[in-house]
Amino acid sequence: FKCTPFRNRDPAARHSCFNDPNAAAYREHLKHLEKRKPAAVILTVDDFHEVAEKQRGMLLTFMLHAKTAAGAPFGLCTVGYGVEILDTTFSDYGVPIAQGCL
């Protein structure tokens, strides 16, 4: 999923991460995790390198621990998952990646 929508965390904004169409993939992943509760999950963030380095920690904290204004779970840890963050690419493990995928 793309992390760009998570830069706007203001629920009163016209497009915040809570309603931005660009965050739809993340919201769908979250719904699936809540419903299916798989034992392990690998999620990739496509554009994390585009976030300014000084903003990355705050962005990660939000993506892991956020709740909506109504208190609903929105971060990965809020739906019961522990998280290990790896700064790597699938190609480091020999997994081919199709260019232009969303």
Side-chain angles (χ1 to χ4, degrees):
F1 62 90
K2 296 202 176 289
C3 70
T4 306
F6 296 95
R7 294 180 191 174
N8 181 1
R9 299 180 298 276
D10 180 2
R14 182 172 177 263
H15 283 296
S16 75
C17 60
F18 301 108
N19 63 7
D20 188 329
N22 295 316
Y26 176 82
R27 290 192 303 270
E28 288 301 314
H29 286 332
L30 196 63
K31 285 180 191 175
H32 176 78
L33 295 176
E34 288 180 293
K35 182 177 180 182
R36 304 277 184 187
K37 302 203 183 307
V41 180
I42 297 175
L43 298 176
T44 62
V45 179
D46 296 333
D47 58 350
F48 191 70
H49 65 282
E50 295 174 13
V51 175
E53 193 168 330
K54 65 182 182 179
Q55 295 177 333
R56 291 178 185 175
M58 182 174 49
L59 186 64
L60 280 173
T61 298
F62 181 80
M63 290 168 51
L64 297 176
H65 302 288
K67 292 188 177 188
T68 66
F74 194 76
L76 294 173
C77 293
T78 63
V79 294
Y81 285 89
V83 176
E84 181 175 344
I85 298 171
L86 303 172
D87 186 9
T88 188
T89 63
F90 283 127
S91 61
D92 290 344
Y93 297 94
V95 178
I97 302 297
Q99 297 298 318
C101 292
L102 297 177

